Amino acid sequence: MSDAFSRSTAPLDLAGIGIGPFNLSLAALLDGMEGIDACFFDAKPCFDWHPAMMLPDVELQSSFLKDLVTPVCPTSSWSFIAYLVAQRRLFTFLNAQYEAVPRQEMANYFAWAGKGLPNLRFQTPIREIDLEARHFRLTYDSGSVLARNIVVGTGSRPFVPAWATNHLGPRFFHCADIGHRLDDLARAERIVVIGGGQSGGEVVDHLLSSERLPRSIRWLSRRHNFEPINETPFSNQVFSPEYVDAYRRLSDERKKTALENSILTSDGLSISTINGIYRKLYRLRHIDCAPIDVAMMPSRTVVQVERQGEEYRLVARNSFDGGIEVFFADAVVLATGFRFVVPDALHPIAHRLYRDAERRLMPGDDYALAWDGPRENRIFAQNAGRFSHGIADSQLSLMAWRSATIINALVGRAVFDLTLPDPILVWPSETPQERAVGLAYS
Ligand SMILES: Cc1cc2nc3c(=O)[nH]c(=O)nc-3n(C[C@H](O)[C@H](O)[C@H](O)COP(=O)(O)OP(=O)(O)OC[C@H]3O[C@@H](n4cnc5c(N)ncnc54)[C@H](O)[C@@H]3O)c2cc1C
Ligand SMILES: NC(=O)c1ccc[n+]([C@@H]2O[C@H](COP(=O)([O-])OP(=O)(O)OC[C@H]3O[C@@H](n4cnc5c(N)ncnc54)[C@H](OP(=O)(O)O)[C@@H]3O)[C@@H](O)[C@H]2O)c1
């Protein structure tokens, strides 16, 4: 490889494993920063954002201003606005008056940054990471590189429930793969979609829009209903640095409750998806009188599956009335979510990472994982702290702020001003003195 890190034997200050949006944001904020030698590696040939889930007309669930850089460095040349200007379509974009930006446009913006940033190396899967004396050694297929610190940005993996793992195949798959399975799905007459989050909604919406409709669709969700995302102003405050700061101070027990209480600020269905599905159902049923049997079935937990010849037999518990139901399908789509897992490459040092009582990793305030290695060798982790840092950790909203937090920790000074603003919502208890002052004036 004829690039900076193979020409020089000097260790990098920071090596990134994975280039999804989160490490891309870090790379964008580090671009041009004097005195920090950083390089990021990804297995893919180029930046591509969840390509197999890019169904037609899907939309972004967050503001385009919460891009790679803007919340902490609005003058960066890697902002979404800078992308629009570079493409000569800022005015056209504004005139489009999107309530939600097409996800493909955000993906195109990320890909534009992925192409332009000099500190990224694609087609370089990191196979192994070990600690040698005072450096990490990252091994890839054609060599290795040394780094003082690393940042894990390998994303989360599709979650496949234990009862489903033995059945995975062309007609029984996680929706992370749906783009590769559309032909198999088009041949199926009876389709069951499991999981009532946004991914499940996008799959069902797509099925209802097909030119060739299946004979039946069953959408099973464990939640009490097909719940909308809560994007109202107070609820959205959980996507703020102030909230993360307050959440960080909670005990594990209270974190669990706070996380459960805020789940629908992140994992609910977009209103546009709900409306789209409902109106398609109306049209198919009452206007087109289409020969399709569709049932939306909340409060169902699928607990078992069997393959019987060419068909799948699914058993679900109904938490609404306590019933047990059986469904037959030619194809099953699991939209059962994603989970962070420690990447395989970290296995040589994974046993040195500290874990909490539930075996979760423990990222600190600066997103460095607690471990028994040298203090000067830090392992930062993005998207690994949904429990430790709260609901925003797996979302785009705070990615620029988190990247800036990591950079400040890396260089040991406040390169970015991350002073917390006065919170609109006061989450933690006031101190006794504050309460006393408040009472004195009341
Ligand atoms: C379909 C979908 C849509 C979403 N839309 C939104 C949204 O609108 N708003 C929002 O806030 N959140 C959204 N999210 C949630 C979240 O923002 C995304 O999942 C986001 O992509 C997470 O970014 P990441 O950088 O952690 O990981 P990823 O995007 O998953 O990227 C990880 C990268 O690591 C690479 N990699 C893994 N292992 C290695 C290795 N050993 N060596 C080299 N490279 C490796 C992979 O090739 C991959 O490119 C969405 C999630 C999904 C699934
Ligand atoms: N367009 C977009 O912007 C977009 C698109 C896709 C995803 N996303 C984001 O990506 C994240 C992941 O979304 P997601 O929809 O993939 O996952 P998700 O929000 O975690 O939803 C998964 C769903 O599957 C259910 N489930 C799991 N096991 C089940 C079982 N055995 N039986 C029945 N239901 C079961 C879960 O139930 P419980 O709720 O009870 O656990 C949950 O409702 C979210 O933050 C989402 O907003 C965004």
Side-chain angles (χ1 to χ4, degrees), residues 18 20-22 42-43 49-50 60-62 126 154-155 383 394-396:
F22 296 165
D42 200 285
W49 191 34
H50 296 312
L60 197 66
Q61 276 189 323
S62 35
I126 299 298
T154 46
N383 203 350
S394 52
Q395 301 292 305
L396 301 179

Side-chain angles (χ1 to χ4, degrees), residues 17-23 41-44 48-50 53 59-62 103 124-127 153-156 199 202 338 343 345 382-383 394-397:
I17 303 104
I19 309 174
F22 296 165
N23 266 351
F41 303 86
D42 200 285
K44 289 181 182 154
D48 212 352
W49 191 34
H50 296 312
M53 292 184 74
E59 294 174 335
L60 197 66
Q61 276 189 323
S62 35
R103 202 160 82 224
T124 314
I126 299 298
R127 304 291 183 194
T154 46
S156 46
S199 298
E202 290 181 4
F338 294 79
Q382 308 234 43
N383 203 350
S394 52
Q395 301 292 305
L396 301 179
S397 295

